[in-house]
Amino acid sequence: MNRRKFIENSALAGSGLAIIGAASCTTKSSTENKINIQSIMDDVEFIDSEDRKKRIEKAALLMQQNSIDAVFIESGTSLDYFTGIKWWPSERLTGVLIFSDGTLQYIGPAFEKERLEEMITIKGDVASWEEHENPFELVAKLFKAKSSATATLGMEENVRFFQSNGISFYLPQATITNAKPVTAGCRMIKSPKELALMKKANEITLEAYRIGFSQLKEGMSQYDLSSIVAEASTALGATEAGWAGAMFGAYTAFPHGSKTAQQLREGDLVLIDGGCKLGGYQADITRTTIFGQPTQRQQDVWNIVKEAQTAVFEQAKAGVPCELLDATARAVVNKHGLGNGYENFFHRVGHGIGMDFHEWEYLVKGNSTPMQPGMCFSNEPGIYIYGEFGVRLEDCFYITENGYEAFTPQSPSIESPI
């Protein structure tokens, strides 16, 4: 039994894991032998140190406005966003203190100091700790030396509990607060360069889907389709192939897929959701199509989802509260008798997106945050009927001064998804 068959048949293989496994064992030439894939990376401009210096300047200003003396950021996308350092999160603390005057203090393990220094492009001091030493005490000491024992330290939201708790222990007189006004305050509003990277990432993803759909054949597994899309994304120029989850037939009613191995059959709906990354920025697209000819019910449900997505776009503009877009999509589904609360439309209509798949803000009931120019969101209504099928359509967009701009065109039809 080869590795792919083992993954497909394993009851323990979750959809995400199975996709990764299948992609890793697909022969390199499987897609390239069938289609001549050319990179579409013309005129791409990546984020550089000058961009990050401007981000730090904005963060310092936001700290001053919110009475925060410094922000602590550990390994993750915010560390990359502000410093360009890509560091795998482990049990050893590696991070940065950004102070309200714009200065930086890096912290990392002593045995990794040379590697950390090699990655630094934004000037700042580097402090290291030996294996027997306490990194939390070191962070607290550096913070107090620059600010004071009673100053205010902002924690980036994704700092893991063991680190935030450890640092807080050594700052008993300090005020520890959520750094969201600073981190989200910078990251929510995308620059023209960020928007260009996201647009290109979405274009690559959509073209990879087109290639994947062109390879549909009876008997193929959902993992085969996911592997083709991931391979095509890389060939087209993606810096990270990302995630591509495929579902067939009745399993399209599972919004994020099923662990059950599936084989494509005539008349099945095919749903694929995911996106590649380009220069650290994430795409996110969902398309639903038919393998063969759609039934009237499949066509009707697909049309309702398209109507809901279109209605959301019509409401997308600066000043509109995030929750209105969710209510708009839900009203369309309800009008056609397929919704009651979250029945059949299980999830919010969208989420913020940028360096992470899901970022601030969320298009969901109860979020009255007004949309602002530069904010990016997904628009992804769906209808899911367990035992039959599901339909979701997703395109990402950003708010402009005059409305919105979508990164990709809406799906034309159930039979021609791209």
Side-chain angles (χ1 to χ4, degrees), residues 24 118 162 201 280 312 332 401:
S24 68
E118 184 181 63
F162 79 93
V312 168
V332 172
E401 295 290 346

Side-chain angles (χ1 to χ4, degrees), residues 9-209:
N9 294 336
S10 173
L12 297 177
S15 60
L17 176 61
I19 289 163
I20 294 168
S24 68
C25 69
T26 301
T27 57
K28 183 176 181 181
S29 61
S30 62
T31 301
E32 292 174 350
N33 281 345
K34 297 171 185 174
I35 300 174
N36 181 23
I37 301 175
Q38 300 294 324
S39 173
I40 57 174
M41 288 287 289
D42 295 341
D43 303 321
V44 174
E45 189 176 3
F46 293 96
I47 303 299
D48 58 27
S49 58
E50 291 303 313
D51 297 310
R52 295 189 177 94
K53 287 176 182 176
K54 291 176 183 177
R55 294 169 175 178
I56 291 168
E57 290 174 3
K58 182 176 180 180
L61 179 61
L62 289 171
M63 278 186 260
Q64 294 164 23
Q65 292 173 352
N66 288 275
S67 300
I68 296 174
D69 297 286
V71 168
F72 175 71
I73 299 169
E74 69 145 316
S75 48
T77 51
S78 284
L79 183 66
D80 187 2
Y81 178 87
F82 287 107
T83 71
I85 295 173
K86 296 175 175 63
W87 200 275
W88 180 259
S90 75
E91 78 282 6
R92 294 183 175 96
L93 181 148
T94 300
V96 65
L97 283 165
I98 302 178
F99 290 93
S100 59
D101 63 358
T103 58
L104 275 61
Q105 173 68 68
Y106 299 97
I107 306 102
F111 79 95
E112 296 272 34
K113 186 177 180 182
E114 283 72 20
R115 184 165 77 97
L116 179 58
E117 289 177 336
E118 184 181 63
M119 294 183 178
I120 291 172
T121 58
I122 309 297
K123 184 179 178 180
D125 293 331
V126 180
S128 59
W129 52 278
E130 298 290 357
E131 291 282 68
H132 68 283
E133 294 178 325
N134 190 317
F136 313 128
E137 186 176 12
L138 176 59
V139 173
K141 179 181 176 181
L142 294 166
F143 173 70
K144 288 186 287 187
K146 177 76 175 179
S147 301
S148 73
T150 58
T152 298
L153 175 63
M155 287 285 176
E156 197 263 351
E157 295 129 287
N158 290 317
V159 173
R160 289 166 291 172
F161 176 77
F162 79 93
Q163 294 193 11
S164 61
N165 186 59
I167 294 167
S168 300
F169 178 81
Y170 290 99
L171 291 170
Q173 296 177 287
T175 298
I176 309 298
T177 191
N178 189 340
K180 180 181 176 181
V182 178
T183 52
C186 290
R187 290 182 58 178
M188 275 195 305
I189 309 300
K190 271 62 176 182
S191 69
K193 189 182 286 188
E194 289 177 289
L195 294 173
L197 285 168
M198 293 179 69
K199 181 175 177 59
K200 181 61 71 173
N202 279 277
E203 289 173 352
I204 290 170
T205 298
L206 195 60
E207 177 62 13
Y209 284 8

Side-chain angles (χ1 to χ4, degrees), residues 196-374:
L197 285 168
M198 293 179 69
K199 181 175 177 59
K200 181 61 71 173
N202 279 277
E203 289 173 352
I204 290 170
T205 298
L206 195 60
E207 177 62 13
Y209 284 8
R210 187 192 66 77
I211 291 167
F213 288 146
S214 76
Q215 299 299 299
L216 292 178
K217 62 181 180 180
E218 189 159 4
M220 74 185 301
S221 76
Q222 75 268 40
Y223 310 130
D224 293 324
L225 178 56
S226 297
S227 297
I228 292 168
V229 170
E231 187 178 334
S233 296
T234 301
L236 289 163
T239 48
E240 293 180 45
W243 178 76
M247 297 138 241
F248 299 156
Y251 296 101
T252 56
F254 291 66
H256 284 162
S258 166
K259 69 180 182 180
T260 304
Q262 301 149 41
Q263 290 186 312
L264 185 61
R265 295 286 180 258
E266 182 80 12
D268 279 350
L269 284 183
V270 178
L271 188 155
I272 190 161
D273 175 20
C276 71
K277 269 192 169 185
L278 182 64
Y281 286 82
Q282 184 70 57
D284 195 4
I285 299 174
T286 305
R287 288 291 181 268
T288 304
T289 190
I290 185 72
F291 184 63
Q293 295 297 316
T295 65
Q296 189 62 52
R297 181 164 169 80
Q298 289 170 334
Q299 181 70 72
D300 289 345
V301 172
W302 195 98
N303 289 344
I304 294 167
V305 174
K306 175 73 174 286
E307 182 184 343
Q309 190 190 43
T310 301
V312 168
F313 277 133
E314 289 172 352
Q315 294 290 339
K317 58 184 177 182
V320 170
C322 289
E323 64 182 351
L324 179 62
L325 275 68
D326 184 77
T328 296
R330 220 162 285 284
V332 172
V333 176
N334 292 350
K335 178 183 70 174
H336 291 280
L338 283 170
N340 179 17
Y342 286 100
E343 180 185 358
N344 299 130
F345 182 4
F346 302 150
H347 52 76
R348 64 200 170 206
V349 79
H351 54 79
I353 188 168
M355 294 184 76
D356 293 309
F357 254 123
H358 292 183
E359 295 185 355
W360 325 266
E361 290 284 337
Y362 295 99
L363 305 180
V364 67
K365 182 178 180 179
N367 187 0
S368 60
T369 303
M371 294 185 291
Q372 302 175 50

